[in-house]
């Protein structure tokens, strides 16, 4: 499952995003023979609006889905690089109706 963290600061790196999510994954209770949660990828999307404003969004791909849901629940409203952030499930199919980035560039 992909998680999006909208409007991150310019100083936020992919390593910062990974460490942010790992705060929850490191405490994950794991039963024997169960899948260990892991971050598959961490990206920063840069989106330029029609008036030239650049916004940066963090995108983290986590497996299994229950780990991603726990990250969303625990970190939504937490601080990342001294800024309070929202954390939610990324749904590319509805990005236009929810104001999410339509065209993205990786940084």
């Amino acid at each position: 499952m992909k998680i999006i963290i909208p409007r991150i600061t310019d100083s936020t790196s992919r390593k910062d995003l990974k460490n942010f999510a790992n705060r929850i994954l490191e405490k994950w209770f794991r039963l024997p023979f169960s899948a260990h949660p892991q971050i598959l990828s961490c990206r920063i999307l840069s989106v330029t609006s029609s008036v030239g404003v650049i916004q940066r969004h963090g995108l983290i791909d986590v497996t299994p889905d229950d780990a991603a849901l726990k990250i969303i629940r625990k970190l939504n409203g937490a601080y990342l690089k001294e800024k309070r952030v929202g954390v939610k499930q990324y749904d590319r199919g509805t990005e236009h109706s929810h104001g999410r980035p339509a065209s993205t560039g990786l940084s």
Side-chain angles (χ1 to χ4, degrees):
M1 175 184 294
K2 287 188 167 93
I3 298 169
I4 190 162
I5 305 168
R7 295 176 298 280
I8 59 175
T9 65
D10 290 342
S11 65
T12 302
S13 67
R14 290 188 323 199
K15 183 178 179 180
D16 294 328
L17 290 173
K18 189 171 186 175
N19 290 339
F20 184 65
N22 271 330
R23 284 197 263 178
I24 301 305
L25 296 184
E26 289 172 353
K27 298 175 188 174
W28 190 265
F29 175 74
R30 191 169 77 122
L31 296 172
F33 308 109
S34 64
H36 188 274
Q38 94 189 96
I39 296 173
L40 301 176
S41 67
C42 228
R43 298 185 301 167
I44 295 177
L45 309 175
S46 295
V47 181
T48 304
S49 73
S50 59
V51 293
V53 176
I54 298 173
Q55 288 188 344
R56 299 177 72 219
H57 309 286
L59 189 63
I60 305 170
D61 194 0
V62 179
T63 186
D65 286 354
D66 60 335
L69 293 171
K70 187 169 187 173
I71 289 171
I72 291 168
R73 194 172 57 252
K74 296 284 189 176
L75 294 180
N76 188 32
Y79 286 87
L80 173 63
K81 299 289 280 190
E82 300 179 11
K83 181 184 179 204
R84 193 175 191 126
V85 294
V87 180
K88 53 190 166 185
Q89 182 177 347
Y90 179 72
D91 184 3
R92 187 168 175 83
T94 59
E95 64 193 22
H96 299 291
S97 62
H98 289 92
R100 293 192 187 122
S103 62
T104 58
L106 299 178
S107 59

